[in-house]
Amino acid sequence: MADRGKSEEEDAVPVNAMKVSGQPDWPGLLKWSLSRSDPGNQSQDPKKELSEEDRKWFMEAMQANSVDIVKRMKEISLVLQTPRQVLEEQGVSSQDIEGVLEELQDHVESIDMANDLKAVGGLNPLIGLLQDEYAPIRARAAEVLSTVVQNNPKSQNDVMEHKGMEALLNTFSSDPDVNVRAKALGAISSLIRNNKLGTNAFRLANGFGQLKEALSSDHSRLQRKALQVMHYLLQDNPKDNVTAAELGFPPLLTKLARSNDADIREEALQAMVDVSHNDKASSLSWGSDHKGLKDFLNERMSSLQDMKPEDLAPMRDEGVLLDTLWRDCFGQPSVLRQKGLLSLPGDGEPPPDVAGAMFQPSLRNLATQQSEEKKEPEPPLLLKL
């Protein structure tokens, strides 16, 4: 971008403020724009439009920034493709690679940039970094992949084609670092979201078995992630309720529903509600008389009844889930409802979707969704006299 010459106007931007190291000086541009719109700037005529020279410079700056993102992604992709030994010989450390991945994650927040990752040669080496010897790099690579595929069907397909599901499942099941495993599971949850090909691949690869192993661990973060993915799968395909029951999930869920972690407790109850909606799964889970489940529910509801009103309010969601589970299995209101300890809008209201809240669309997805047009109020009818 050619440098712009100085203007004789007092509010003109100096040439050296417009470019820094060959790049647009965005802070300078912002300061300049604010100064021109500042009502207190007496030297600026509010009715005066931008000069052609100013307009040309502004457009060139915007175009240069747009081109530079793609160029920078290509540069990052080249770095990721370069053997680690070569990078180390040039003084590039593992921390530097982690920083490069952090920058890449910022770029792929845009769906367009995420969809360009394959074209610029960055997708394959990014997936390969899931096997890097440095744990922070493996974790960061999983985070970037999660961002790339989130609410993005094209990139989901690209990652599936490049064996990304297999790589993520391997990392989730066998990585020695629990943080990396949690990040990989987070990427898997983004990859299977609204992606039939992804959910089928997850099931066929013994994904439920790996979720069960994660729930059996002592790591709360991994347990929460596993419960969120399980809830999504049970909602996506109700037949999976029977699969979960046959694989022995209910005893694990009941144990987690006694956790001291409120989030884990509620998400485990949510999964138990999902299973209870299927009669066969419910019977497989707790027996025909549901005695074990009844003992558990009585225990939990008794603890809520003993709470002071101010302490009970934050437990409302858990109470609703307990009541729903009781009604599904025993066909009658729970003691919590009978004593008026639940404030429910109505009998037909579904239980709170605790885990589903974790799958809310990102800002990126919200930006791509078409918002409903606001309806203009209809004009009043005029009566003819």
Side-chain angles (χ1 to χ4, degrees):
M1 182 178 70
D3 286 342
R4 186 171 72 89
K6 286 188 177 180
S7 169
E8 294 180 357
E9 298 179 5
E10 293 180 0
D11 61 343
V13 182
V15 175
N16 59 6
M18 287 187 286
K19 297 189 73 176
V20 177
S21 300
Q23 303 297 326
D25 177 18
W26 297 108
L29 175 60
L30 176 61
K31 182 178 179 180
W32 174 73
S33 300
L34 291 174
S35 69
R36 294 182 66 87
S37 61
D38 183 4
N41 187 349
Q42 300 298 323
S43 66
Q44 177 64 33
D45 182 355
K47 296 182 180 180
K48 187 174 182 179
E49 297 182 357
L50 285 175
S51 68
E52 186 61 31
E53 189 176 17
D54 287 339
R55 190 185 306 277
K56 180 179 178 182
W57 171 76
F58 182 83
M59 294 305 298
E60 286 178 348
M62 295 298 294
Q63 291 171 3
N65 182 62
S66 177
V67 171
D68 283 343
I69 293 178
V70 177
K71 179 181 177 182
R72 181 58 181 159
M73 284 181 61
K74 289 181 179 179
E75 294 171 350
I76 291 173
S77 298
L78 287 174
V79 172
L80 300 184
Q81 295 170 17
T82 304
R84 185 59 53 83
Q85 182 179 354
V86 175
L87 293 175
E88 290 176 351
E89 290 173 354
Q90 297 180 12
V92 179
S93 67
S94 297
Q95 289 79 7
D96 293 329
I97 300 298
E98 191 179 355
V100 167
L101 288 172
E102 185 176 358
E103 179 186 346
L104 179 61
Q105 186 168 3
D106 289 338
H107 295 321
V108 297
E109 286 283 355
S110 160
I111 280 186
D112 291 336
M113 294 299 104
N115 289 338
D116 282 341
L117 186 60
K118 176 184 175 181
V120 300
L123 185 56
N124 257 337
L126 178 62
I127 294 173
L129 288 179
L130 293 172
Q131 302 299 318
D132 193 87
E133 62 180 2
Y134 187 54
I137 287 181
R138 299 197 302 273
R140 180 65 71 175
E143 279 189 293
V144 177
L145 280 170
S146 181
T147 302
V148 168
V149 300
Q150 188 176 34
N151 305 307
N152 188 347
K154 181 183 183 305
S155 286
Q156 286 176 338
N157 290 335
D158 288 344
V159 170
M160 294 294 295
E161 290 174 1
H162 286 261
K163 309 296 182 184
M165 175 63 83
E166 292 87 337
L168 287 167
L169 281 169
N170 181 63
T171 300
F172 166 48
S173 64
S174 61
D175 198 282
D177 188 292
V178 67
N179 180 55
V180 176
R181 292 182 65 195
K183 296 289 186 182
L185 183 54
I188 290 171
S189 71
S190 295
L191 184 55
I192 66 176
R193 183 71 172 174
N194 298 319
N195 178 10
K196 283 294 182 184
L197 183 64
T199 53
N200 290 337
F202 181 82
R203 292 185 180 101
L204 291 173
N206 190 33
F208 272 101
Q210 295 186 31
L211 287 179
K212 184 179 178 183
E213 183 181 344
L215 292 178
S216 302
S217 72
D218 295 327
H219 303 286
S220 58
R221 185 177 182 186
L222 196 58
Q223 290 172 339
R224 281 193 294 269
K225 289 282 187 182
L227 286 168
Q228 292 156 16
V229 173
M230 183 178 178
H231 171 66
Y232 173 75
L233 291 170
L234 297 182
Q235 291 286 313
D236 180 65
N237 183 9
K239 292 181 180 179
D240 283 339
N241 294 330
V242 176
T243 301
E246 291 174 339
L247 290 174
F249 274 85
L252 269 176
L253 296 175
T254 305
K255 178 182 177 182
L256 292 172
R258 290 187 170 97
S259 170
N260 292 326
D261 186 309
D263 290 336
I264 290 178
R265 202 165 55 240
E266 291 183 10
E267 287 162 5
L269 282 170
Q270 177 72 72
M272 292 170 71
V273 168
D274 293 335
V275 173
S276 72
H277 287 332
N278 184 297
D279 291 339
K280 181 179 179 181
S282 182
S283 180
L284 285 170
S285 302
W286 298 290
S288 58
D289 61 353
H290 296 80
K291 184 180 184 305
L293 177 63
K294 180 180 287 188
D295 292 342
F296 160 75
L297 291 176
N298 280 326
E299 171 194 328
R300 288 302 306 156
M301 290 190 291
S302 176
S303 67
L304 295 187
Q305 292 178 70
D306 295 337
M307 289 184 175
K308 296 178 181 179
E310 59 269 23
D311 296 328
L312 183 60
M315 309 293 289
R316 180 189 176 279
D317 285 349
E318 181 176 344
V320 173
L321 289 167
L322 291 168
D323 175 73
T324 302
L325 195 52
W326 183 274
R327 286 187 293 129
D328 283 351
C329 294
F330 305 110
Q332 59 185 7
S334 71
V335 66
L336 295 178
R337 176 176 295 202
Q338 293 172 3
K339 291 189 175 183
L341 297 177
L342 298 177
S343 176
L344 296 178
D347 290 341
E349 290 291 325
D353 188 358
V354 177
M358 304 302 296
F359 289 97
Q360 291 300 312
S362 63
L363 290 177
R364 171 214 281 183
N365 191 42
L366 291 174
T368 61
Q369 293 177 349
Q370 294 183 350
S371 60
E372 295 184 359
E373 295 182 0
K374 294 182 179 180
K375 294 183 179 180
E376 295 292 335
E378 296 183 1
L381 295 176
L382 299 179
L383 299 177
K384 293 183 179 180
L385 301 177

